[in-house]
Short mmCIF file of all heavy atoms in Angstrom, two decimals:
data_model
loop_
_atom_site.label_atom_id
_atom_site.label_comp_id
_atom_site.label_asym_id
_atom_site.label_seq_id
_atom_site.Cartn_x
_atom_site.Cartn_y
_atom_site.Cartn_z
N GLY A 479 160.57 87.04 152.03
CA GLY A 479 161.59 86.79 153.09
C GLY A 479 161.02 86.53 154.45
O GLY A 479 161.77 86.32 155.41
N SER A 480 159.68 86.46 154.60
CA SER A 480 159.10 86.24 155.91
C SER A 480 157.60 85.84 155.67
O SER A 480 157.06 86.02 154.58
CB SER A 480 159.15 87.47 156.77
OG SER A 480 158.36 88.49 156.24
N TRP A 481 156.99 85.33 156.73
CA TRP A 481 155.59 85.00 156.65
C TRP A 481 154.77 86.30 156.50
O TRP A 481 153.63 86.24 155.95
CB TRP A 481 155.13 84.15 157.81
CG TRP A 481 155.63 82.77 157.71
CD1 TRP A 481 156.57 82.15 158.50
CD2 TRP A 481 155.35 81.82 156.69
NE1 TRP A 481 156.85 80.88 158.06
CE2 TRP A 481 156.12 80.64 156.94
CE3 TRP A 481 154.50 81.87 155.58
CZ2 TRP A 481 156.04 79.57 156.10
CZ3 TRP A 481 154.46 80.72 154.76
CH2 TRP A 481 155.20 79.59 155.00
N ASP A 482 155.24 87.38 157.05
CA ASP A 482 154.51 88.66 156.81
C ASP A 482 154.49 89.00 155.32
O ASP A 482 153.51 89.49 154.81
CB ASP A 482 155.17 89.77 157.64
CG ASP A 482 154.87 89.73 159.10
OD1 ASP A 482 153.66 89.87 159.45
OD2 ASP A 482 155.77 89.52 159.90
N ALA A 483 155.63 88.72 154.65
CA ALA A 483 155.66 88.95 153.20
C ALA A 483 154.75 88.05 152.45
O ALA A 483 154.09 88.47 151.43
CB ALA A 483 157.08 88.82 152.73
N ILE A 484 154.62 86.82 152.90
CA ILE A 484 153.62 85.89 152.26
C ILE A 484 152.23 86.40 152.42
O ILE A 484 151.42 86.40 151.51
CB ILE A 484 153.76 84.49 152.92
CG1 ILE A 484 155.17 83.86 152.59
CG2 ILE A 484 152.69 83.57 152.41
CD1 ILE A 484 155.41 83.48 151.20
N TYR A 485 151.92 86.87 153.65
CA TYR A 485 150.59 87.46 153.86
C TYR A 485 150.30 88.61 152.93
O TYR A 485 149.23 88.73 152.36
CB TYR A 485 150.46 87.90 155.36
CG TYR A 485 149.19 88.68 155.62
CD1 TYR A 485 148.03 88.00 155.93
CD2 TYR A 485 149.18 90.08 155.59
CE1 TYR A 485 146.81 88.69 156.12
CE2 TYR A 485 147.96 90.75 155.84
CZ TYR A 485 146.85 90.06 156.13
OH TYR A 485 145.68 90.75 156.37
N ASP A 486 151.28 89.42 152.70
CA ASP A 486 151.10 90.62 151.85
C ASP A 486 150.76 90.25 150.44
O ASP A 486 149.94 90.96 149.80
CB ASP A 486 152.41 91.49 151.85
CG ASP A 486 152.64 92.14 153.18
OD1 ASP A 486 151.69 92.26 153.96
OD2 ASP A 486 153.78 92.60 153.40
N VAL A 487 151.27 89.10 149.87
CA VAL A 487 151.05 88.84 148.47
C VAL A 487 149.83 87.93 148.19
O VAL A 487 149.42 87.79 147.11
CB VAL A 487 152.28 88.16 147.85
CG1 VAL A 487 153.53 89.09 147.97
CG2 VAL A 487 152.60 86.79 148.44
N LEU A 488 149.32 87.26 149.29
CA LEU A 488 148.19 86.40 149.09
C LEU A 488 146.86 87.16 149.07
O LEU A 488 146.73 88.21 149.60
CB LEU A 488 148.12 85.35 150.21
CG LEU A 488 149.27 84.34 150.26
CD1 LEU A 488 149.09 83.37 151.44
CD2 LEU A 488 149.36 83.55 148.95
N GLU A 489 145.89 86.58 148.36
CA GLU A 489 144.52 87.17 148.32
C GLU A 489 143.94 87.06 149.71
O GLU A 489 144.14 86.16 150.45
CB GLU A 489 143.66 86.44 147.31
CG GLU A 489 144.13 86.71 145.84
CD GLU A 489 143.12 86.06 144.87
OE1 GLU A 489 142.02 85.69 145.31
OE2 GLU A 489 143.47 85.97 143.69
N LYS A 490 143.04 88.10 150.00
CA LYS A 490 142.44 88.13 151.36
C LYS A 490 140.92 88.03 151.18
O LYS A 490 140.35 88.39 150.19
CB LYS A 490 142.79 89.50 152.04
CG LYS A 490 144.21 89.99 151.84
CD LYS A 490 145.20 89.19 152.64
CE LYS A 490 146.55 89.89 152.75
NZ LYS A 490 147.19 90.20 151.47
N ASP A 491 140.28 87.58 152.25
CA ASP A 491 138.81 87.60 152.29
C ASP A 491 138.35 88.95 152.76
O ASP A 491 139.16 89.90 152.99
CB ASP A 491 138.25 86.41 153.09
CG ASP A 491 138.60 86.53 154.57
OD1 ASP A 491 139.10 87.59 155.03
OD2 ASP A 491 138.44 85.53 155.31
N HIS A 492 137.04 89.10 152.97
CA HIS A 492 136.44 90.40 153.36
C HIS A 492 136.92 90.88 154.76
O HIS A 492 136.84 92.05 155.06
CB HIS A 492 134.92 90.36 153.36
CG HIS A 492 134.36 89.34 154.35
ND1 HIS A 492 134.32 87.99 154.13
CD2 HIS A 492 133.86 89.58 155.55
CE1 HIS A 492 133.76 87.42 155.18
NE2 HIS A 492 133.49 88.32 156.07
N SER A 493 137.49 89.96 155.54
CA SER A 493 138.01 90.33 156.86
C SER A 493 139.53 90.51 156.88
O SER A 493 140.13 90.64 157.95
CB SER A 493 137.57 89.28 157.90
OG SER A 493 136.20 89.20 158.02
N GLY A 494 140.13 90.44 155.71
CA GLY A 494 141.59 90.57 155.63
C GLY A 494 142.34 89.34 155.92
O GLY A 494 143.53 89.37 156.18
N ASN A 495 141.70 88.15 155.95
CA ASN A 495 142.36 86.91 156.21
C ASN A 495 142.91 86.31 154.94
O ASN A 495 142.21 86.22 153.86
CB ASN A 495 141.40 85.91 156.84
CG ASN A 495 140.83 86.41 158.15
OD1 ASN A 495 141.61 86.85 159.07
ND2 ASN A 495 139.51 86.36 158.35
N ALA A 496 144.11 85.78 154.95
CA ALA A 496 144.74 85.07 153.85
C ALA A 496 144.66 83.60 154.21
O ALA A 496 145.31 83.14 155.19
CB ALA A 496 146.17 85.55 153.62
N LEU A 497 143.94 82.83 153.46
CA LEU A 497 143.66 81.46 153.82
C LEU A 497 144.10 80.47 152.69
O LEU A 497 143.71 80.70 151.52
CB LEU A 497 142.16 81.23 154.06
CG LEU A 497 141.48 82.20 155.05
CD1 LEU A 497 140.00 82.03 155.08
CD2 LEU A 497 142.14 82.05 156.43
N GLN A 498 144.85 79.48 153.04
CA GLN A 498 145.21 78.35 152.14
C GLN A 498 145.09 77.05 152.88
O GLN A 498 145.54 76.90 154.00
CB GLN A 498 146.61 78.55 151.61
CG GLN A 498 146.75 79.57 150.50
CD GLN A 498 148.08 79.48 149.74
OE1 GLN A 498 148.96 78.67 150.09
NE2 GLN A 498 148.22 80.34 148.78
N GLY A 499 144.51 76.07 152.23
CA GLY A 499 144.27 74.79 152.84
C GLY A 499 142.91 74.71 153.48
O GLY A 499 142.00 75.55 153.23
N ASP A 500 142.76 73.78 154.34
CA ASP A 500 141.47 73.51 155.03
C ASP A 500 141.37 74.37 156.26
O ASP A 500 141.82 73.99 157.31
CB ASP A 500 141.33 72.04 155.37
CG ASP A 500 139.95 71.62 155.81
OD1 ASP A 500 139.05 72.48 155.79
OD2 ASP A 500 139.77 70.45 156.18
N CYS A 501 140.82 75.59 156.08
CA CYS A 501 140.85 76.55 157.16
C CYS A 501 139.40 77.00 157.56
O CYS A 501 138.51 77.19 156.65
CB CYS A 501 141.61 77.82 156.77
SG CYS A 501 143.29 77.49 156.30
N LEU A 502 139.16 77.19 158.84
CA LEU A 502 137.83 77.68 159.32
C LEU A 502 138.06 78.87 160.27
O LEU A 502 138.32 78.64 161.46
CB LEU A 502 137.05 76.54 160.05
CG LEU A 502 135.75 76.90 160.64
CD1 LEU A 502 134.79 77.38 159.58
CD2 LEU A 502 135.17 75.72 161.44
N PRO A 503 137.99 80.10 159.77
CA PRO A 503 138.13 81.27 160.63
C PRO A 503 136.78 81.74 161.13
O PRO A 503 135.86 81.94 160.38
CB PRO A 503 138.76 82.30 159.67
CG PRO A 503 138.23 81.96 158.28
CD PRO A 503 137.97 80.46 158.30
N ILE A 504 136.69 81.90 162.47
CA ILE A 504 135.47 82.37 163.10
C ILE A 504 135.87 83.72 163.81
O ILE A 504 136.72 83.63 164.75
CB ILE A 504 134.89 81.39 163.99
CG1 ILE A 504 134.42 80.15 163.21
CG2 ILE A 504 133.69 81.97 164.76
CD1 ILE A 504 133.85 79.03 164.08
N ASN A 505 135.27 84.79 163.44
CA ASN A 505 135.59 86.10 164.03
C ASN A 505 137.06 86.46 164.01
O ASN A 505 137.63 86.95 164.96
CB ASN A 505 135.08 86.17 165.48
CG ASN A 505 133.59 86.07 165.58
OD1 ASN A 505 132.85 86.49 164.66
ND2 ASN A 505 133.08 85.48 166.68
N CYS A 506 137.71 86.09 162.88
CA CYS A 506 139.16 86.35 162.71
C CYS A 506 139.33 87.50 161.73
O CYS A 506 138.51 87.63 160.78
CB CYS A 506 139.90 85.11 162.18
SG CYS A 506 139.91 83.72 163.38
N SER A 507 140.44 88.22 161.88
CA SER A 507 140.71 89.33 160.93
C SER A 507 142.19 89.49 160.75
O SER A 507 142.99 89.29 161.67
CB SER A 507 140.11 90.66 161.45
OG SER A 507 140.64 91.02 162.71
N ASN A 508 142.58 89.85 159.53
CA ASN A 508 143.98 90.19 159.19
C ASN A 508 144.92 89.08 159.64
O ASN A 508 145.96 89.33 160.17
CB ASN A 508 144.38 91.52 159.83
CG ASN A 508 143.48 92.64 159.43
OD1 ASN A 508 143.04 92.71 158.26
ND2 ASN A 508 143.14 93.54 160.39
N THR A 509 144.50 87.82 159.38
CA THR A 509 145.26 86.68 159.88
C THR A 509 145.61 85.78 158.71
O THR A 509 144.83 85.60 157.74
CB THR A 509 144.40 85.91 160.91
OG1 THR A 509 144.36 86.68 162.10
CG2 THR A 509 144.98 84.50 161.21
N LEU A 510 146.81 85.15 158.75
CA LEU A 510 147.25 84.18 157.76
C LEU A 510 147.02 82.79 158.40
O LEU A 510 147.49 82.51 159.47
CB LEU A 510 148.71 84.40 157.43
CG LEU A 510 149.37 83.24 156.62
CD1 LEU A 510 148.84 83.20 155.20
CD2 LEU A 510 150.90 83.44 156.59
N MET A 511 146.28 81.93 157.65
CA MET A 511 146.19 80.53 157.99
C MET A 511 146.66 79.78 156.78
O MET A 511 146.03 79.85 155.70
CB MET A 511 144.78 80.15 158.36
CG MET A 511 144.24 80.75 159.61
SD MET A 511 142.57 80.12 159.95
CE MET A 511 142.14 81.05 161.40
N LEU A 512 147.75 79.00 156.91
CA LEU A 512 148.29 78.23 155.79
C LEU A 512 148.41 76.80 156.24
O LEU A 512 149.27 76.47 157.06
CB LEU A 512 149.67 78.82 155.34
CG LEU A 512 150.12 78.38 153.99
CD1 LEU A 512 151.13 79.45 153.45
CD2 LEU A 512 150.80 77.04 153.98
N GLY A 513 147.53 75.95 155.74
CA GLY A 513 147.52 74.55 156.15
C GLY A 513 147.86 73.61 155.00
O GLY A 513 147.62 73.91 153.87
N ARG A 514 148.41 72.45 155.33
CA ARG A 514 148.76 71.44 154.38
C ARG A 514 148.01 70.18 154.51
O ARG A 514 147.57 69.58 153.55
CB ARG A 514 150.28 71.17 154.41
CG ARG A 514 151.18 72.31 153.87
CD ARG A 514 150.89 72.53 152.43
NE ARG A 514 151.62 73.69 151.85
CZ ARG A 514 152.79 73.55 151.24
NH1 ARG A 514 153.35 72.38 151.12
NH2 ARG A 514 153.38 74.58 150.73
N ASN A 515 147.88 69.69 155.75
CA ASN A 515 147.39 68.35 155.97
C ASN A 515 146.15 68.26 156.95
O ASN A 515 145.42 67.28 156.92
CB ASN A 515 148.47 67.45 156.55
CG ASN A 515 149.66 67.35 155.60
OD1 ASN A 515 149.62 66.73 154.58
ND2 ASN A 515 150.74 68.03 156.00
N ARG A 516 145.98 69.27 157.76
CA ARG A 516 144.94 69.20 158.76
C ARG A 516 144.03 70.46 158.72
O ARG A 516 144.39 71.46 158.18
CB ARG A 516 145.59 69.10 160.14
CG ARG A 516 146.19 67.73 160.39
CD ARG A 516 147.03 67.71 161.66
NE ARG A 516 148.30 68.37 161.42
CZ ARG A 516 149.32 68.42 162.30
NH1 ARG A 516 149.19 67.73 163.43
NH2 ARG A 516 150.43 69.05 162.03
N LEU A 517 142.87 70.31 159.30
CA LEU A 517 141.96 71.45 159.41
C LEU A 517 142.59 72.44 160.43
O LEU A 517 143.05 72.04 161.50
CB LEU A 517 140.64 70.95 159.95
CG LEU A 517 139.65 72.01 160.47
CD1 LEU A 517 139.16 72.91 159.36
CD2 LEU A 517 138.49 71.37 161.17
N ILE A 518 142.59 73.73 160.08
CA ILE A 518 142.94 74.76 161.02
C ILE A 518 141.69 75.56 161.36
O ILE A 518 141.09 76.15 160.46
CB ILE A 518 144.03 75.72 160.41
CG1 ILE A 518 145.32 74.95 160.04
CG2 ILE A 518 144.31 76.85 161.39
CD1 ILE A 518 146.36 75.85 159.41
N ALA A 519 141.31 75.56 162.61
CA ALA A 519 140.18 76.33 163.09
C ALA A 519 140.66 77.44 163.99
O ALA A 519 141.34 77.19 164.93
CB ALA A 519 139.16 75.42 163.83
N GLY A 520 140.33 78.69 163.61
CA GLY A 520 140.74 79.85 164.40
C GLY A 520 139.55 80.62 164.93
O GLY A 520 138.56 80.82 164.23
N ILE A 521 139.64 81.02 166.17
CA ILE A 521 138.54 81.74 166.76
C ILE A 521 139.05 83.06 167.37
O ILE A 521 139.98 83.03 168.24
CB ILE A 521 137.87 80.90 167.92
CG1 ILE A 521 137.36 79.57 167.37
CG2 ILE A 521 136.70 81.67 168.56
CD1 ILE A 521 136.92 78.58 168.46
N GLY A 522 138.53 84.17 166.93
CA GLY A 522 138.89 85.45 167.49
C GLY A 522 140.30 85.88 167.29
O GLY A 522 140.85 86.67 168.08
N LEU A 523 140.96 85.41 166.23
CA LEU A 523 142.34 85.76 165.98
C LEU A 523 142.43 87.04 165.19
O LEU A 523 141.62 87.29 164.28
CB LEU A 523 143.01 84.67 165.14
CG LEU A 523 143.07 83.25 165.76
CD1 LEU A 523 143.77 82.29 164.85
CD2 LEU A 523 143.76 83.29 167.11
N GLU A 524 143.37 87.85 165.56
CA GLU A 524 143.60 89.18 164.89
C GLU A 524 145.10 89.39 164.75
O GLU A 524 145.84 89.29 165.74
CB GLU A 524 142.97 90.35 165.68
CG GLU A 524 143.15 91.66 164.98
CD GLU A 524 142.49 92.80 165.72
OE1 GLU A 524 141.88 92.56 166.76
OE2 GLU A 524 142.61 93.95 165.29
N ASP A 525 145.56 89.65 163.49
CA ASP A 525 146.97 89.89 163.22
C ASP A 525 147.84 88.72 163.69
O ASP A 525 148.88 88.90 164.36
CB ASP A 525 147.45 91.21 163.87
CG ASP A 525 146.78 92.44 163.26
OD1 ASP A 525 146.55 92.38 162.04
OD2 ASP A 525 146.46 93.37 164.03
N VAL A 526 147.44 87.52 163.29
CA VAL A 526 148.17 86.28 163.71
C VAL A 526 148.54 85.53 162.46
O VAL A 526 147.84 85.54 161.40
CB VAL A 526 147.29 85.41 164.63
CG1 VAL A 526 147.97 84.07 164.93
CG2 VAL A 526 147.02 86.15 165.94
N LEU A 527 149.66 84.86 162.53
CA LEU A 527 150.18 83.97 161.46
C LEU A 527 150.18 82.53 161.96
O LEU A 527 150.74 82.23 162.98
CB LEU A 527 151.62 84.37 161.08
CG LEU A 527 151.84 85.88 160.70
CD1 LEU A 527 153.37 86.12 160.59
CD2 LEU A 527 151.18 86.19 159.38
N VAL A 528 149.45 81.64 161.21
CA VAL A 528 149.45 80.20 161.59
C VAL A 528 149.90 79.42 160.37
O VAL A 528 149.27 79.48 159.30
CB VAL A 528 148.05 79.76 162.00
CG1 VAL A 528 148.04 78.34 162.43
CG2 VAL A 528 147.52 80.64 163.15
N VAL A 529 150.97 78.68 160.48
CA VAL A 529 151.51 77.85 159.39
C VAL A 529 151.63 76.41 159.85
O VAL A 529 152.30 76.17 160.86
CB VAL A 529 152.87 78.40 158.91
CG1 VAL A 529 153.32 77.55 157.68
CG2 VAL A 529 152.79 79.86 158.54
N GLU A 530 150.97 75.49 159.14
CA GLU A 530 150.90 74.07 159.58
C GLU A 530 151.55 73.16 158.55
O GLU A 530 151.26 73.34 157.34
CB GLU A 530 149.42 73.69 159.79
CG GLU A 530 149.24 72.24 160.15
CD GLU A 530 148.90 71.35 158.95
OE1 GLU A 530 148.58 71.92 157.86
OE2 GLU A 530 148.98 70.18 159.10
N THR A 531 152.41 72.26 159.03
CA THR A 531 152.78 71.11 158.19
C THR A 531 152.46 69.88 159.03
O THR A 531 151.96 69.98 160.16
CB THR A 531 154.31 71.12 157.88
OG1 THR A 531 155.06 71.02 159.13
CG2 THR A 531 154.71 72.46 157.23
N ASP A 532 152.75 68.68 158.46
CA ASP A 532 152.35 67.46 159.22
C ASP A 532 153.20 67.20 160.46
O ASP A 532 152.82 66.32 161.22
CB ASP A 532 152.32 66.24 158.31
CG ASP A 532 153.61 66.00 157.60
OD1 ASP A 532 154.57 66.80 157.81
OD2 ASP A 532 153.71 65.07 156.78
N ASP A 533 154.29 67.92 160.63
CA ASP A 533 155.09 67.67 161.83
C ASP A 533 155.45 68.95 162.63
O ASP A 533 156.00 68.86 163.75
CB ASP A 533 156.37 66.99 161.50
CG ASP A 533 157.29 67.79 160.54
OD1 ASP A 533 156.77 68.69 159.85
OD2 ASP A 533 158.50 67.49 160.43
N VAL A 534 155.07 70.10 162.14
CA VAL A 534 155.36 71.38 162.85
C VAL A 534 154.26 72.37 162.64
O VAL A 534 153.64 72.47 161.53
CB VAL A 534 156.69 72.09 162.30
CG1 VAL A 534 156.93 73.42 163.03
CG2 VAL A 534 157.86 71.13 162.52
N ILE A 535 153.88 73.11 163.67
CA ILE A 535 152.95 74.25 163.58
C ILE A 535 153.66 75.47 164.15
O ILE A 535 154.19 75.44 165.27
CB ILE A 535 151.67 73.99 164.36
CG1 ILE A 535 150.88 72.74 163.79
CG2 ILE A 535 150.74 75.22 164.30
CD1 ILE A 535 149.74 72.38 164.60
N VAL A 536 153.68 76.57 163.35
CA VAL A 536 154.25 77.83 163.82
C VAL A 536 153.16 78.84 163.98
O VAL A 536 152.33 79.00 163.05
CB VAL A 536 155.33 78.35 162.85
CG1 VAL A 536 155.74 79.80 163.20
CG2 VAL A 536 156.55 77.41 162.89
N VAL A 537 153.09 79.51 165.11
CA VAL A 537 152.06 80.52 165.38
C VAL A 537 152.84 81.78 165.81
O VAL A 537 153.69 81.72 166.66
CB VAL A 537 151.12 80.10 166.49
CG1 VAL A 537 150.04 81.20 166.72
CG2 VAL A 537 150.43 78.79 166.13
N ALA A 538 152.53 82.94 165.15
CA ALA A 538 153.29 84.15 165.46
C ALA A 538 152.37 85.36 165.28
O ALA A 538 151.37 85.29 164.54
CB ALA A 538 154.48 84.29 164.57
N LYS A 539 152.67 86.46 165.95
CA LYS A 539 152.03 87.74 165.71
C LYS A 539 152.53 88.29 164.38
O LYS A 539 153.72 88.18 164.07
CB LYS A 539 152.34 88.70 166.83
CG LYS A 539 151.68 88.40 168.18
CD LYS A 539 152.08 89.42 169.21
CE LYS A 539 151.68 90.84 168.77
NZ LYS A 539 151.99 91.87 169.80
N ARG A 540 151.60 88.91 163.63
CA ARG A 540 152.08 89.59 162.45
C ARG A 540 153.04 90.73 162.88
O ARG A 540 152.83 91.37 163.85
CB ARG A 540 150.88 90.21 161.65
CG ARG A 540 150.12 89.20 160.80
CD ARG A 540 149.03 89.84 160.00
NE ARG A 540 149.62 90.91 159.14
CZ ARG A 540 148.93 91.97 158.77
NH1 ARG A 540 147.66 92.17 159.10
NH2 ARG A 540 149.51 92.86 158.05
N GLY A 541 154.10 90.90 162.05
CA GLY A 541 155.12 91.86 162.40
C GLY A 541 156.28 91.25 163.15
O GLY A 541 157.33 91.90 163.25
N GLU A 542 156.13 89.99 163.61
CA GLU A 542 157.18 89.35 164.36
C GLU A 542 157.78 88.15 163.61
O GLU A 542 158.63 87.48 164.17
CB GLU A 542 156.59 88.85 165.72
CG GLU A 542 156.09 89.91 166.64
CD GLU A 542 157.21 90.71 167.26
OE1 GLU A 542 158.28 90.17 167.52
OE2 GLU A 542 157.00 91.92 167.46
N SER A 543 157.42 87.97 162.35
CA SER A 543 157.78 86.73 161.70
C SER A 543 159.27 86.69 161.33
O SER A 543 159.79 85.61 160.98
CB SER A 543 156.93 86.51 160.43
OG SER A 543 157.19 87.47 159.45
N GLN A 544 159.98 87.84 161.30
CA GLN A 544 161.43 87.78 161.08
C GLN A 544 162.13 86.94 162.18
O GLN A 544 163.22 86.45 161.94
CB GLN A 544 161.99 89.19 161.06
CG GLN A 544 161.54 90.08 159.91
CD GLN A 544 162.25 89.66 158.58
OE1 GLN A 544 163.18 88.86 158.57
NE2 GLN A 544 161.75 90.21 157.48
N LYS A 545 161.49 86.79 163.34
CA LYS A 545 162.08 86.05 164.45
C LYS A 545 161.99 84.54 164.25
O LYS A 545 162.41 83.80 165.15
CB LYS A 545 161.50 86.49 165.76
CG LYS A 545 161.77 87.96 166.05
CD LYS A 545 161.15 88.36 167.38
CE LYS A 545 161.40 89.89 167.65
NZ LYS A 545 160.80 90.35 168.91
N VAL A 546 161.30 84.07 163.19
CA VAL A 546 161.23 82.65 162.90
C VAL A 546 162.65 82.08 162.79
O VAL A 546 162.95 80.91 163.19
CB VAL A 546 160.46 82.34 161.68
CG1 VAL A 546 160.60 80.90 161.20
CG2 VAL A 546 158.95 82.64 161.90
N LYS A 547 163.55 82.89 162.32
CA LYS A 547 164.98 82.40 162.19
C LYS A 547 165.57 82.10 163.59
O LYS A 547 166.46 81.23 163.72
CB LYS A 547 165.87 83.45 161.49
CG LYS A 547 165.98 84.77 162.17
CD LYS A 547 166.88 85.69 161.34
CE LYS A 547 167.16 87.00 162.06
NZ LYS A 547 165.89 87.84 162.20
N ASP A 548 165.07 82.74 164.64
CA ASP A 548 165.53 82.46 165.99
C ASP A 548 165.00 81.08 166.40
O ASP A 548 165.66 80.34 167.12
CB ASP A 548 165.06 83.50 166.96
CG ASP A 548 165.59 84.92 166.64
OD1 ASP A 548 166.68 84.97 166.04
OD2 ASP A 548 164.92 85.93 166.96
#
Side-chain angles (χ1 to χ4, degrees):
S480 67
W481 288 114
D482 284 297
I484 296 289
Y485 172 84
D486 289 341
V487 302
L488 294 180
E489 291 186 12
K490 319 291 193 302
D491 65 12
H492 63 280
S493 298
N495 299 312
L497 308 173
Q498 282 195 358
D500 192 4
C501 303
L502 177 62
I504 297 177
N505 296 329
C506 296
S507 60
N508 305 321
T509 288
L510 169 69
M511 292 184 184
L512 198 156
R514 288 298 176 95
N515 301 289
R516 289 169 285 190
L517 167 67
I518 299 178
I521 303 172
L523 302 179
E524 181 178 357
D525 294 323
V526 173
L527 307 168
V528 182
V529 183
E530 176 264 347
T531 65
D532 55 2
D533 60 341
V534 177
I535 298 173
V536 169
V537 182
K539 289 179 60 177
R540 280 184 57 207
E542 297 288 326
S543 67
Q544 292 286 351
K545 296 179 181 177
V546 168
K547 64 180 183 294
D548 299 333

